[in-house]
Amino acid sequence: MSEFSITRLSSTEENFDTQLENLLAWESVSDAKVNQIVDDILSEVKQQGDAAVVSYTNRFDLTTVSSMSELELSPDRLTDALTTLPQAQRTALEKAAQRIRQYHEKQKSDSWQYTEDDGTMLGQKVTPLDRVGLYVPGGKAAYPSSVLMNAIPAKVAGVTEIIMVVPTPRGELNQLVLAAAALAGVDRVFTIGGAQAVAALAYGTETIPKVDKIVGPGNIYVATAKRAVFGAVGIDMIAGPSEILVVCDGKTNPDWVAMDLFSQAEHDEDAQAILITPDVDFIDQVEASIRKLLPTMERKEIIEVSLRNRAALILVQDMDEAIEIGNRIAPEHLELSVEDPQALLPGVRHAGAIFMGRHTAEALGDYCAGPNHVLPTSGTARYSSPLGVYDFQKRSSLIMFSADGASDIGGVASILARGEGLTAHARSAEYRIKK
Amino acid sequence: MSEFSITRLSSTEENFDTQLENLLAWESVSDAKVNQIVDDILSEVKQQGDAAVVSYTNRFDLTTVSSMSELELSPDRLTDALTTLPQAQRTALEKAAQRIRQYHEKQKSDSWQYTEDDGTMLGQKVTPLDRVGLYVPGGKAAYPSSVLMNAIPAKVAGVTEIIMVVPTPRGELNQLVLAAAALAGVDRVFTIGGAQAVAALAYGTETIPKVDKIVGPGNIYVATAKRAVFGAVGIDMIAGPSEILVVCDGKTNPDWVAMDLFSQAEHDEDAQAILITPDVDFIDQVEASIRKLLPTMERKEIIEVSLRNRAALILVQDMDEAIEIGNRIAPEHLELSVEDPQALLPGVRHAGAIFMGRHTAEALGDYCAGPNHVLPTSGTARYSSPLGVYDFQKRSSLIMFSADGASDIGGVASILARGEGLTAHARSAEYRIKK
């Protein structure tokens, strides 16, 4: 392995703020060529339906099918994938699904109403989405955990139908992905991918039903297509590279911390792994662990590039400052690798998920802790939340005025409407005022 | 007034589905020229800060200021606007603010945690956004109600600071808007608008602090700028034209229904007003009321264009079918103008707000019923919700494994991580397994 250096920062340096800003800077590339290709695919699928989807699939996934019916998997295929799984994998998948379901049950919102003294009722009705599309990447990056994390909250919300799409380049199918779909209760699976799959879900075709929202990760073509169809359907967030911030008091085993940093760095050369600690010796220890362990890692090339370009070991004056810098970073994953993480929790304002205590490896959360692994990246934890049941439910306001209530409040509405020059509004309210 | 016809449809016609689809079709125009202008403004403000904002403001709002400090209103200006308001307007505004606050208090989410048998804690921490930007249009369409509807939920959520921007073309300031800002607890107000105001809020300048989310309506430049900065900051939805769907049993005063349809049609020539009823005679009665009342309306030109191009009177076989077609429309505003609206409610799946009973004019909801008037348009009620306190709070997952819990679940994570080829994840989990 080549020698490489990992950025070190110290909060007392004069230009620390600028250095931190530069470290965090990330802009996803918006490529005019990709946009054009995606626009063409979207408009073809919108106009030609199944025929366009079949044609793009043959072209991009190197298949040779002649109709959409060959691109749908039967429910038996999913069940078979689950039942033929090695027992250890099946048990692990079932355990994960059970814990994810149990956690997400706590996120369900209910409708509510209240009645005022004059009989006027106000409230909010909570309704699940009718139909959701789930994009699952194929090939190398086929993640069964992602199927569970996206499909289970939708099912818990009460979504009637989940349509999954997963490309099968050269016909390759991942049995774990199909098994996860069976476990999560996915309703239909089409073996299509790319912008053509997003278009089919957004607009509907003769065979593929139009959905209300599309969720799930994908490559730049999928992300660009999701952005483009937003409005016609809902979408989840567009994820940036993975991030982990470990805040440590210096008393966790440095090998553990190094491996936790690796666990995000191995995702992607653009992934970002940061350690913040008030203990300068601990920075040396973790760096030594990194150099010791890196050569033993299967994905060492990816990890090395990620660490070289985007990682940092940050020295701070105390834990309060560590937490405050953590808030400025607003990381996707925050590990509080300390003795008493509950004591630090009130100060944490911005993070996708908070992993508390030395035993809570971020990797546990990726698979089976229960909470979702689809989390806000690139500082968007400042204003957004983990994927959850709430993303598959929506609300309608309820307003039912009694005759007295309408008469009373009609006068208020009339004054305000006339103040805005909207006299049809005013007169509509005035009709309900008792003479 | 010129003679004009209003579209009539009947659900039993053979091509009804296609007719309905054409009626609802709406695409916002994406204009390359607007995009270019907005991109230029965003990048100028990002690079030049205050200087660019001052320069664009002088150019677009025909002002002659020399520095940003002239573009901030003092808190006294807001308080003065409130105290000098005519008493009836002040009382109406206060009543509206009080009802809006009271309703939105019910939407607050709290953090939660639970502990499993082995001591593992899972939960979700709910945190308000730090700082929110509120865009308020200036000039003709200056709506104080919009200030209340956007700022109050943010304050209820616990947002620390609300920065309002409102353009003042030729120096025109709307006293009602400033009074509403005072009432709602807006923290700072800058008299800037357009894409330059959105850019200032999204990126920050020397004077204007960077916000975490931008909400509030605006023209095509504002909407385009909001779309462009999304990701750097959060945004609320991009609203399409207003819509109302009145579902009526034929027994409401047809003048009331006509005026309710007008109250959306007067917003905008593209607004959409639809009546669905199983009573063919009632369609005639409402149309007669429309023709009788339209000449008396201040905004009759706008209303007529809206009715001519986008309205429809739809005859259905029964109320069940009315509700089902209502779900297909997924309107922003749904009036259930019937005797027993509670009986119909379970069937309603998709609507931004539901106005129940003959006395509940949609206009009451626009100002002072309590629920928000920022609602999903163009069928997006299929997957999205009214603006609410939940838009100003976000969640962080909490995971704290006990040593036993981590040891137990570490094995599950390890199997799943190895199934995905992510061995740093696996080894990070395995470190926590007790030997």
Side-chain angles (χ1 to χ4, degrees), chain B residues 335-407:
Chain B
E335 277 189 16
L336 300 177
S337 197
V338 298
E339 200 53 39
D340 182 8
Q342 287 280 17
L344 297 180
L345 193 58
V348 178
R349 295 199 311 283
H350 309 303
I354 307 170
F355 299 82
M356 300 166 66
R358 310 188 203 285
H359 289 273
T360 309
E362 186 280 326
L364 301 178
D366 278 342
Y367 294 105
C368 48
N372 213 286
H373 78 191
V374 181
L375 296 168
T377 57
S378 310
T380 59
R382 294 188 65 85
Y383 59 82
S384 54
S385 302
L387 187 73
V389 172
Y390 34 80
D391 290 303
F392 300 102
Q393 294 183 315
K394 34 74 180 190
R395 305 163 192 238
S396 305
S397 306
L398 299 179
I399 310 176
M400 184 162 76
F401 275 103
S402 64
D404 286 346
S407 181

Side-chain angles (χ1 to χ4, degrees), chain A residues 236-252:
Chain A
D236 59 355
M237 50 197 126
I238 306 282
S242 272
E243 307 150 7
I244 186 169
L245 170 60
V246 180
V247 168
C248 186
D249 55 12
K251 301 197 184 87
T252 305

Side-chain angles (χ1 to χ4, degrees), chain B residues 173-317:
Chain B
L173 259 172
N174 183 311
Q175 293 302 304
L176 271 163
V177 163
L178 299 188
L183 256 182
V186 166
D187 296 281
R188 296 179 73 178
V189 178
F190 295 94
T191 55
I192 59 175
Q196 59 275 18
V198 174
L201 293 170
Y203 307 130
T205 70
E206 301 89 319
T207 308
I208 301 172
K210 176 177 167 28
V211 303
D212 298 307
K213 187 168 191 167
I214 301 174
V215 299
N219 64 19
I220 182 72
Y221 294 94
V222 173
T224 304
K226 278 169 66 181
R227 250 185 211 280
V229 299
F230 175 59
V233 294
I235 60 168
D236 59 354
M237 53 197 124
I238 307 282
S242 271
E243 308 150 6
I244 187 170
L245 170 60
V246 180
V247 168
C248 186
D249 55 11
K251 301 196 183 86
T252 305
N253 184 328
D255 285 357
W256 291 21
V257 171
M259 195 61 76
D260 294 355
L261 296 174
F262 288 175
S263 75
Q264 290 312 294
E266 78 171 340
H267 271 297
D268 185 346
E269 294 178 350
D270 293 323
Q272 184 158 56
I274 299 176
L275 166 67
I276 300 185
T277 179
D279 181 341
V280 67
D281 293 338
F282 189 66
I283 287 185
D284 289 335
Q285 292 164 29
V286 170
E287 179 156 352
S289 290
I290 287 174
R291 294 188 186 282
K292 174 186 74 184
L293 293 167
L294 184 54
T296 73
M297 304 307 301
E298 280 85 345
R299 295 166 72 92
K300 54 177 168 279
E301 288 78 13
I302 295 172
I303 295 173
E304 183 179 327
V305 176
S306 160
L307 295 183
R308 184 201 303 273
N309 293 341
R310 301 212 68 213
L313 308 172
I314 302 179
L315 181 68
V316 290
Q317 294 168 280

